[in-house]
Amino acid sequence: MKKFRKVLDGLTTSSPVNVGSAPVCSSTAGTPTAAVTPREIEVQETLVSENFQICKTVRHGFPYQPTALAFDPVQKILAIGSRSGGVRILGRPGVDCFCQHESGAAVLQLQFLINEGALVTACADDTLHLWNLRQKRPAILHSLKFNRERITFCHLPFQSKWLYVGTERGNTHIVNIESFVLSGYVIMWNKAIELSTKTHPGPVVHLSDSPKDEGRLLIGFESGTVVQWDLRVKKADFRIYYDEAIHSVSWHHEGKQFMCSHSDGSLTTWNLRNTSKPFQVTFPHGKAQRDGKKPESCKPILKVEYKTTRNSEPFVIFSGGLSYDKASRRPTLTIMHGKSITVLEMDHPIVDFLVLCETPYPNEVQEPYAVAVLLEKDFILVDLTQSSFPIFENPYPMDIHESPVTCTAYFADCPPDIIPVLYSIGAKHKKQGYSHKEWPVSGGTWTLGAQTYPEIIITGHADGSIKFWDATAITLQMLYKLKTSKVFEKPKAGEGRGAEMVEEDPYAVQMVSWCPQSRLFCVVGISAHVILYRLSKHDATTEIVSLEVRLQCDVEDVLSPCEAESTPGLSDQSSHSPQQAPASPGSVTPEGLRDSIPCLKVKNRPVRMPPGYQAELVVQLLWVDGEPPQQITSVDINSAYGLLALGNCNGLAVVDYLQKSILLCMSTLELYGSSDPYQRLTRSPRKNRQFTQGLTELSDNQVPLELERSRSPTSVPYPTSLHNDPRSFPEPVANLKASHYSPVFHLLDNVRGPDRKLSLPTDLKTDLDHVNGHCTSPTSQPCVAGKPRVPGPEGPRLSRRGPGRPPFRKAQSAACMEISLPVSHTEGYASKRAMLQQLHGVSMYSHDEHHATMYSWSEKESRENSFSRSRSSSVSSIDRETKEAVTTLRFMESCARKADTAPAPSLWVGTSLGVVLVIGLSIPADEEERLDEPVAVAPSGTVLMLKGSVLTFGSLDCGGSLIPSPYEVWRDPHAPEDPDRPRKRKLVNFSPSSSQEVAGDGHLAVVCSERQAKVFLMPAQTCLFVHNITESSFVLRSDVVSVCNSVCLACFCANGHVMTLSLPSLRPLLDVNYLPLTDMRIARTFCFTNGGQALYLSTPTEIQRITYSQEMCDNLQEFLGELFTPVETPEAQNRGFLKGFFGGNAQTFDREELFGEAAAGKASRSLAQHIPGPGGMEGMKAAAGGVVGDLARARIALDERGQRLGELEERTALMMSSAEAFSKHAHELMLKCKDKKWYQF
């Protein structure tokens, strides 16, 4: 039992808020309340630093920017290389491994050591690596760095330990795989070609040994030259010169002919009996000319495979080769089988393809059964055994990026019944037409670990779709797909409203909120809409209810300098008087501005919904005075309360989804009431008020923009079709006001520096505008509210977007955003912070960075932490326009006021100024009353303060245990009614433990912001513990999570640090510089979950899962699959006496005799450098670890040792019998010749 004593007498208290003066806040203080008496609480904390360690677990998705493909036909495992130096090795479902080259150089080629448990990679930095696959975490055994030549092609013959390496200069080197050193045997390009040749043949593009004779090597040069080199006599057997460049070569299995693909779209077949001209020249997709001339040139055939079958014609499979007049056609794979030609169109460009065959021996009939096609953004397998060539159903989650990922959510330890329900519903919508055969890539072994629990990952996408994934036991399988766009009417072409308001990706998902227990699902879209879904196993035809929320305000929601002699709180109350509602909602004002219309139109007719998640309610924010609504920045839903809360840069709205009514709609300022700790300024009517609709650009010599605030608030226009009758509310809620938000500019400080750049891929590039050298958000609309600009000379030029345009353009895809900036130094951190904040569509106006305008803090601290005030006047004016945004929301049982004696339903609101507001909720307890009586919503006046924008809330009892939010047990809304058992709501409520003697019925509230974490004792509102998480950076994501049967606060900072803090004492338990933030997608998609797990989008197409739990790191080996399984190599076929007699058998030779050091000598040391890898036995033991891995390796080693001993015994017995026979024959010969004379011989 540990005791934590926090004496608040003068240490962490702030002085009371006095009328007429600004509150004074110390750097470690948290509450603006008066000092309280010392308190002592006893909490048993079980977490220690030894419970935490961070490591990667598994990577899901399609390899980003793939470059190479390889397949082991015996082990049946597949490898994919990428441009960033990554290698994905795939086997049966569950066998999925990711390896990364430290250099980050692109992988040019992959070569399996077939059935040897090893892989050779050739990288763009001219380095060869040998990977050991006989362990769950592959490691590099050897590396060989070429210093003077560039690698272009590699070939490793089956069951050979000598690797042929072709280079850009046209030379061919030979590497010993076992020692990974170069042989002295080199085939120089000038020896391979004729001496009379005047031009260089170009780089080596192909290497292969003849199926008929392993001592002959076929070398293909880019210029069109093909040479067969006799390795024994070190000279060329023949040379072929062709006019067109060669891209690939493929042998017939008998070794008597081969086929080449060329840059003019032709295929040439060459017979070894006559190499003076091609045996056959074909243009598979070329148009034949009438006069017998050569067909028109086509696009290059990049690769060709020539495979034979026993019972039918051979297969010729190639990529490319289409006619140039079909420029609009998609990339194709052509399958020629006899006289039939089948063209398979692909959705993406083809990177590489391989034909999977039954035998690994190149001199046997190949019997192809499938084609593995690696595309730029997909991977498919085509079944060759059926005439229709169907594709196999891919068991890997390769379609995460089907539409760009815009948000992620991770839920561990879900209810066990939710995954079967989602899977059964999703299975009904699966595509048909797949091959009925099993997935051919079936290598490796994987078993479900003992310690598993249901896990679900949710991804939101730019097209408005939602995908639920089963992530149990480090696997990933899609369960269910939901399309949110089906809720809205499709905009018709030429329709005024749709054409003007809907641009690209209007349905993009911005965030999701899911309650696994009640199965309620909430989706926030980029068009300022929220959709509420309920799960049902039955189809239904219902009408979707739509609520429209109008937000606007006129109060200058800006902080005044500390020196100002003004009273904190609200400005003149007359400015808050309700305004008349618009005469015609959904119309266009006489000035031509759109008003009271949403961005999208909800279907207003009964809609048939299939089983699954069915839309029940849509909440949309409205245009106000020509200004589009701001994107929603926070949302929370609670099934026990029947309430939905959403917030944005303007304020907060609370919706009762049971009664389909709006309960609260206020600006952030109005939520304070008289408890506002800041001094606000109202806008003085100076200068012309001008209006701009778009992101604007100002040069340094332009007149600063004075952005107009909107007019006074208006009442919320409730739709008359809804049953939300006027109700009597308590005094603070009597006059519900809406607020409208004025522009939020996301400032990027010092972006113009030479070491900072923004890079957005061209396929999903958004506009980047600059204000005095400061970038604004690429997707978030700066909402400038108020009257139109007075026409002037600058007006037309500055307006980038005309009136009535939407607040979105291309979806803010988390997958497409990249940023290059130094993260090691701390100067300019505010600009990095602002850059990341543009992802969330909200200006995180952190009060500790701008406290020079709020508090009477020391001048030194002000200079260190605030923005520089020596900017141009235009930027200063933009600073003053920054609003206080709602950054996080949480429904929970809490004591909202100090006088409360028991926890009650409440809504906790966190803002971008580091302020926490608590709103009390009065909810009827009876079920019938709950559906009829109004829910009272009233700000409690409780205000807590932190440094930086508030990110997350948590609730603990005084024993340190987590208090989950209450929820309603799921029931199917469309299940058949049972008259004997009426349907009732079943609520589950978690109250703070009543056994806590200290603090009675109180509880602990955990609040984390970008800079600080605090633990408050409620209802006393006493700050018990405070921890300054970071001074040089800021927190991007934080969550209260359960680890090792306890709870902690997990944080991810912009400087790449992953931290965990104990609760409630906030002791640092883990601080690891894990992931330097070089990518905006990481900031947008990083999320923690229970069980010590987290994930983020590592590339636009891949999800990386990590763990920060020592226990899971120790048990990780049990979850991972085995890549290598001992399999007997198939025996070569016996070709028979006649074929062998007539030269059909392949000739073997001893490569060691030719390439070994004794015969060929040593290679030049300057040519290549050998680098020992960390994957030896020592490295393997350190990397793999674990009892299971050790036992498996010991078993494999024993099997191999026994096999070698058996082979040795057989060879020894053979030698003994041979020696005995020789002795017998020698004795017989001696006896025969013993009595003969010399002349008789």
Side-chain angles (χ1 to χ4, degrees):
M1 184 71 73
K2 295 183 180 180
K3 290 188 177 182
F4 300 101
R5 185 176 180 86
K6 195 70 175 178
V7 181
L8 304 177
D9 295 293
L11 294 179
T12 58
T13 58
S14 57
S15 59
V17 180
N18 298 320
V19 176
S21 62
V24 179
C25 224
S26 70
S27 60
T28 59
T31 70
T33 59
V36 297
T37 58
R39 301 197 61 90
E40 180 180 302
I41 65 169
E42 293 182 356
V43 176
Q44 181 178 0
E45 292 190 357
T46 58
L47 292 179
V48 292
S49 58
E50 287 74 19
N51 295 125
F52 296 93
Q53 180 186 348
I54 193 164
C55 69
K56 295 181 180 179
T57 55
V58 68
R59 181 173 290 208
H60 303 296
F62 179 76
Y64 183 55
Q65 295 180 332
T67 55
L69 181 66
F71 181 70
D72 187 328
V74 179
Q75 287 289 320
K76 295 192 181 300
I77 57 175
L78 186 89
I80 300 175
S82 69
R83 193 175 301 174
S84 60
V87 178
R88 284 282 292 282
I89 304 173
L90 302 168
R92 66 175 67 248
V95 179
D96 187 342
C97 180
F98 173 76
C99 313
Q100 176 67 45
H101 293 92
E102 291 184 2
S103 64
V107 178
L108 299 180
Q109 198 173 350
L110 300 165
Q111 284 279 321
F112 275 106
L113 277 65
I114 296 176
N115 204 27
E116 294 292 335
L119 175 71
V120 175
T121 58
C123 296
D125 60 353
D126 306 310
T127 306
L128 297 173
H129 303 276
L130 178 64
W131 292 83
N132 178 20
L133 306 184
R134 298 195 178 206
Q135 56 193 66
K136 292 187 175 182
R137 293 276 192 177
I140 294 177
L141 292 172
H142 302 282
S143 297
L144 188 65
K145 169 73 174 175
F146 281 75
N147 297 322
R148 296 186 297 184
E149 297 202 54
R150 308 215 63 182
I151 299 172
T152 56
F153 195 86
C154 298
H155 170 63
L156 180 64
F158 178 48
Q159 294 182 327
S160 169
K161 67 175 183 178
W162 297 96
L163 175 72
Y164 301 113
V165 181
T167 67
E168 195 175 37
R169 294 184 180 179
N171 303 324
T172 302
H173 300 275
I174 302 171
V175 178
N176 187 309
I177 290 298
E178 293 178 349
S179 61
F180 233 61
V181 295
L182 274 179
S183 167
Y185 193 113
V186 182
I187 305 173
M188 305 299 290
W189 68 272
N190 54 351
K191 300 287 185 180
I193 65 173
E194 289 182 336
L195 296 177
S196 59
T197 305
K198 298 180 180 179
T199 58
H200 190 280
V204 175
V205 296
H206 177 81
L207 291 169
S208 62
D209 51 345
S210 169
K212 187 177 179 181
D213 185 359
E214 294 177 350
R216 287 177 165 81
L217 183 69
L218 194 70
I219 307 173
F221 298 94
E222 189 180 57
S223 63
T225 302
V226 179
V227 177
Q228 180 167 288
W229 184 262
D230 192 324
L231 296 169
R232 299 182 187 89
V233 298
K234 300 182 181 180
K235 69 174 186 179
D237 286 339
F238 61 82
R239 299 178 179 90
I240 293 174
Y241 299 97
Y242 196 68
D243 297 336
E244 297 294 336
I246 290 178
H247 286 282
S248 69
V249 182
S250 182
W251 278 99
H252 188 279
H253 81 275
E254 292 180 350
K256 297 179 181 179
Q257 61 183 17
F258 59 88
M259 184 177 292
C260 300
S261 68
H262 300 278
S263 57
D264 63 346
S266 65
L267 296 174
T268 57
T269 306
W270 300 84
N271 197 312
L272 299 192
R273 294 180 179 178
N274 181 14
T275 57
S276 59
K277 63 177 182 178
F279 171 72
Q280 186 181 22
V281 179
T282 58
F283 287 81
H285 296 296
K287 293 182 179 179
Q289 303 295 326
R290 294 181 179 178
D291 53 1
K293 293 183 180 180
K294 179 182 176 181
E296 292 180 357
S297 294
C298 298
K299 296 178 183 178
I301 296 179
L302 302 178
K303 185 174 182 179
V304 64
E305 292 272 14
Y306 189 14
K307 302 298 179 183
T308 53
T309 60
R310 288 187 182 90
N311 302 321
S312 61
E313 296 290 328
F315 282 91
V316 177
I317 304 171
F318 60 89
S319 61
L322 287 183
S323 176
Y324 278 106
D325 61 356
K326 298 176 181 178
S328 61
R329 291 189 56 176
R330 296 185 289 181
T332 60
L333 183 78
T334 303
I335 302 175
M336 299 172 62
H337 188 210
K339 294 183 179 180
S340 68
I341 299 179
T342 304
V343 179
L344 305 179
E345 290 191 344
M346 304 294 170
D347 294 330
H348 310 284
I350 298 174
V351 176
D352 197 2
F353 74 90
L354 289 174
V355 179
L356 311 188
C357 301
E358 296 286 353
T359 176
Y361 295 94
N363 58 346
E364 294 180 356
V365 178
Q366 299 297 288
E367 292 292 345
Y369 59 89
V371 183
V373 187
L374 179 63
L375 308 176
E376 273 191 4
K377 296 183 179 180
D378 202 359
F379 174 74
I380 63 172
L381 268 174
V382 182
D383 188 354
L384 292 179
T385 61
Q386 300 183 41
S387 58
S388 59
F389 301 126
I391 65 172
F392 291 88
E393 185 176 4
N394 197 329
Y396 314 127
M398 293 286 191
D399 57 345
I400 291 176
H401 63 288
E402 184 179 15
S403 175
V405 178
T406 53
C407 72
T408 58
Y410 192 8
F411 300 89
D413 207 5
C414 299
D417 58 337
I418 186 67
I419 290 180
V421 170
L422 290 174
Y423 181 79
S424 62
I425 295 172
K428 300 176 183 178
H429 304 285
K430 282 192 173 182
K431 296 179 181 178
Q432 304 297 324
Y434 291 112
S435 173
H436 300 295
K437 294 191 175 182
E438 291 186 1
W439 182 254
V441 186
S442 56
T445 56
W446 178 76
T447 56
L448 193 66
Q451 298 178 350
T452 59
Y453 44 82
E455 299 175 67
I456 287 181
I457 294 174
I458 300 176
T459 56
H461 300 266
D463 63 353
S465 61
I466 305 282
K467 292 182 180 179
F468 289 78
W469 305 85
D470 178 9
T472 305
I474 73 169
T475 61
L476 195 71
Q477 181 181 6
M478 196 171 86
L479 296 172
Y480 175 68
K481 182 178 179 179
L482 173 68
K483 295 181 179 179
T484 62
S485 59
K486 292 186 176 180
V487 173
F488 304 99
E489 298 281 3
K490 291 183 179 179
K492 297 180 181 179
E495 199 176 83
R497 182 179 185 275
E500 292 182 9
M501 296 187 60
V502 179
E503 292 192 13
E504 295 176 291
D505 300 328
Y507 311 111
V509 179
Q510 203 168 2
M511 66 183 73
V512 296
S513 178
W514 186 50
C515 178
Q517 288 79 16
S518 64
R519 304 182 187 178
L520 281 178
F521 187 50
C522 208
V523 181
V524 177
I526 200 170
S527 302
H529 63 267
V530 180
I531 310 174
L532 175 64
Y533 289 91
R534 284 185 184 268
L535 183 65
S536 175
K537 297 180 181 179
H538 307 273
D539 56 359
T541 302
T542 57
E543 189 168 343
I544 303 170
V545 179
S546 176
L547 292 180
E548 298 177 346
V549 179
R550 180 183 175 93
L551 293 173
Q552 76 175 48
C553 70
D554 67 334
V555 176
E556 182 59 48
D557 206 358
V558 176
L559 309 174
S560 68
C562 295
E563 299 82 9
E565 295 294 332
S566 60
T567 303
L570 298 177
S571 300
D572 183 13
Q573 293 296 326
S574 63
S575 63
H576 291 274
S577 59
Q579 206 179 40
Q580 293 295 325
S584 56
S587 63
V588 178
T589 61
E591 292 84 359
L593 302 178
R594 298 188 176 276
D595 188 68
S596 301
I597 56 175
C599 296
L600 301 173
K601 183 180 180 182
V602 179
K603 293 180 179 178
N604 55 3
R605 61 184 184 278
V607 180
R608 183 188 177 278
M609 302 179 189
Y613 271 105
Q614 300 169 349
E616 178 179 303
L617 174 68
V618 179
V619 181
Q620 291 180 287
L621 302 187
L622 300 176
W623 287 61
V624 178
D625 294 338
E627 272 304 302
Q630 283 309 286
Q631 294 176 11
I632 296 166
T633 56
S634 56
V635 70
D636 193 32
I637 189 169
N638 188 280
S639 55
Y641 303 161
L643 301 180
L644 167 68
L646 57 98
N648 69 353
C649 304
N650 294 346
L652 172 71
V654 180
V655 175
D656 184 341
Y657 66 80
L658 294 178
Q659 299 185 21
K660 307 298 187 296
S661 61
I662 301 172
L663 301 178
L664 180 74
C665 188
M666 285 187 175
S667 69
T668 316
L669 175 60
E670 291 171 312
L671 296 175
Y672 285 103
S674 60
S675 304
D676 188 4
Y678 300 130
Q679 299 174 358
R680 317 272 173 168
L681 293 178
T682 54
R683 161 102 32 211
S684 59
R686 53 191 167 87
K687 298 189 180 181
N688 288 335
R689 311 286 175 86
Q690 292 184 327
F691 177 75
T692 177
Q693 287 284 353
L695 299 171
T696 55
E697 268 187 9
L698 296 178
S699 62
D700 290 337
N701 57 358
Q702 282 179 329
V703 179
L705 289 178
E706 283 296 329
L707 304 175
E708 172 66 11
R709 293 281 171 176
S710 57
R711 295 183 291 274
S712 59
T714 59
S715 303
V716 180
Y718 296 104
T720 56
S721 61
L722 303 176
H723 49 79
N724 49 353
D725 303 329
R727 312 194 187 277
S728 57
F729 289 102
E731 179 66 21
V733 202
N735 294 324
L736 296 182
K737 303 179 181 65
S739 61
H740 179 63
Y741 169 61
S742 84
V744 175
F745 285 83
H746 309 277
L747 300 178
L748 304 182
D749 194 19
N750 301 324
V751 170
R752 291 178 293 179
D755 58 342
R756 298 172 184 267
K757 64 179 181 178
L758 280 174
S759 172
L760 298 181
T762 54
D763 58 340
L764 287 170
K765 186 161 291 199
T766 53
D767 294 334
L768 276 179
D769 299 271
H770 298 268
V771 181
N772 246 11
H774 299 270
C775 285
T776 61
S777 167
T779 56
S780 183
Q781 158 82 6
C783 353
V784 183
K787 299 179 181 179
R789 269 183 177 272
V790 176
E794 299 293 333
R797 189 170 65 86
L798 291 179
S799 182
R800 213 23 103 91
R801 186 163 66 221
R805 302 304 293 274
F808 47 82
R809 194 170 290 277
K810 194 71 176 175
Q812 179 89 3
S813 167
C816 73
M817 300 187 183
E818 298 178 358
I819 177 171
S820 295
L821 67 156
V823 293
S824 57
H825 56 83
T826 59
E827 60 173 300
Y829 67 88
S831 64
K832 285 180 285 186
R833 171 181 178 282
M835 252 185 273
L836 294 166
Q837 285 153 1
Q838 57 180 328
L839 292 170
H840 302 282
V842 56
S843 174
M844 306 294 188
Y845 190 97
S846 175
H847 79 270
D848 65 313
E849 291 181 357
H850 298 75
H851 56 250
T853 63
M854 286 185 270
Y855 298 114
S856 301
W857 287 22
S858 67
E859 184 181 356
K860 177 181 177 181
E861 190 173 1
S862 176
R863 282 198 304 268
E864 289 176 352
N865 292 340
S866 65
F867 277 118
S868 171
R869 290 296 155 187
S870 60
R871 294 181 184 159
S872 67
S873 58
S874 61
V875 178
S876 298
S877 68
I878 293 173
D879 279 352
R880 290 196 299 269
E881 292 295 331
T882 306
K883 303 282 288 186
E884 183 176 9
V886 175
T887 55
T888 185
L889 295 166
R890 173 76 184 273
F891 286 105
M892 59 183 178
E893 296 283 316
S894 174
C895 302
R897 300 174 179 84
K898 287 186 177 182
D900 291 347
T901 57
S906 61
L907 172 63
W908 286 57
V909 182
T911 75
S912 57
L913 295 186
V915 177
V916 178
L917 304 168
V918 184
I919 297 176
L921 307 173
S922 178
I923 302 175
D926 185 75
E927 182 173 354
E928 294 183 0
E929 292 181 358
R930 174 64 186 87
L931 298 177
D932 298 329
E933 297 296 324
V935 175
V937 182
S940 65
T942 298
V943 178
L944 309 176
M945 296 179 64
L946 290 87
K947 292 169 61 177
S949 300
V950 181
L951 298 179
T952 189
F953 297 119
S955 181
L956 309 176
D957 62 21
C958 290
S961 299
L962 184 67
I963 305 175
S965 297
Y967 64 87
E968 176 189 0
V969 177
W970 175 75
R971 57 177 182 172
D972 197 324
H974 300 298
E977 292 284 350
D978 188 353
D980 298 331
R981 300 178 60 185
R983 299 172 60 183
K984 292 184 178 181
R985 298 179 71 211
K986 183 179 179 181
L987 306 182
V988 178
N989 196 357
F990 302 90
S991 299
S993 175
S994 59
S995 63
Q996 298 296 327
E997 297 178 1
V998 182
D1001 292 331
H1003 69 98
L1004 303 178
V1006 181
V1007 186
C1008 183
S1009 72
E1010 290 180 328
R1011 299 299 176 87
Q1012 274 187 334
K1014 289 187 178 183
V1015 176
F1016 296 93
L1017 176 63
M1018 305 299 287
Q1021 302 178 16
T1022 304
C1023 179
L1024 297 181
F1025 304 100
V1026 60
H1027 178 73
N1028 292 322
I1029 299 174
T1030 177
E1031 294 295 339
S1032 60
S1033 184
F1034 55 96
V1035 179
L1036 288 168
R1037 183 66 186 253
S1038 64
D1039 285 291
V1040 177
V1041 294
S1042 61
V1043 181
C1044 300
N1045 299 319
S1046 187
V1047 291
C1048 68
L1049 179 65
C1051 305
F1052 173 59
C1053 297
N1055 58 9
H1057 283 246
V1058 175
M1059 305 178 185
T1060 58
L1061 305 174
S1062 67
L1063 289 176
S1065 64
L1066 298 178
R1067 288 180 299 108
L1069 298 174
L1070 174 73
D1071 188 353
V1072 177
N1073 187 8
Y1074 167 71
L1075 189 71
L1077 191 65
T1078 56
D1079 223 300
M1080 281 190 177
R1081 89 174 68 83
I1082 298 173
R1084 190 174 182 86
T1085 59
F1086 197 101
C1087 52
F1088 294 98
T1089 190
N1090 296 327
Q1093 297 195 74
L1095 65 78
Y1096 58 92
L1097 208 66
S1098 56
T1099 69
T1101 61
E1102 294 171 285
I1103 289 176
Q1104 178 68 59
R1105 290 165 69 179
I1106 65 173
T1107 180
Y1108 48 93
S1109 165
Q1110 179 68 57
E1111 181 182 3
M1112 187 164 185
C1113 288
D1114 294 339
N1115 299 327
L1116 186 58
Q1117 292 296 317
E1118 299 180 13
F1119 293 99
L1120 298 177
E1122 292 277 0
L1123 295 173
F1124 178 79
T1125 54
V1127 178
E1128 205 171 305
T1129 303
E1131 295 183 1
Q1133 295 177 1
N1134 185 3
R1135 299 172 62 85
F1137 172 76
L1138 291 177
K1139 286 189 177 181
F1141 183 78
F1142 289 106
N1145 275 335
Q1147 300 181 22
T1148 60
F1149 79 108
D1150 189 358
R1151 293 185 176 90
E1152 181 70 32
E1153 189 178 316
L1154 285 176
F1155 306 145
E1157 186 176 331
K1162 291 185 178 181
S1164 172
R1165 290 186 177 181
S1166 62
L1167 183 60
Q1169 175 188 1
H1170 176 256
I1171 305 170
M1177 283 304 297
E1178 295 79 15
M1180 184 176 70
K1181 289 176 184 177
V1187 178
V1188 176
D1190 291 338
L1191 288 175
R1193 285 191 301 277
R1195 177 177 56 79
I1196 294 171
L1198 285 174
D1199 291 343
E1200 294 173 352
R1201 183 171 180 270
Q1203 185 178 355
R1204 287 195 295 268
L1205 286 175
E1207 293 174 356
L1208 179 62
E1209 185 179 354
E1210 291 176 0
R1211 286 197 297 268
T1212 304
L1214 185 63
M1215 290 175 64
M1216 288 178 63
S1217 63
S1218 178
E1220 289 177 359
F1222 179 77
S1223 175
K1224 181 180 178 181
H1225 290 311
H1227 184 69
E1228 291 175 354
L1229 183 62
M1230 183 268 295
L1231 293 176
K1232 185 177 180 180
C1233 300
K1234 180 178 180 182
D1235 299 327
K1236 288 187 178 182
K1237 303 297 182 180
W1238 64 270
Y1239 54 82
Q1240 291 178 328
F1241 286 98

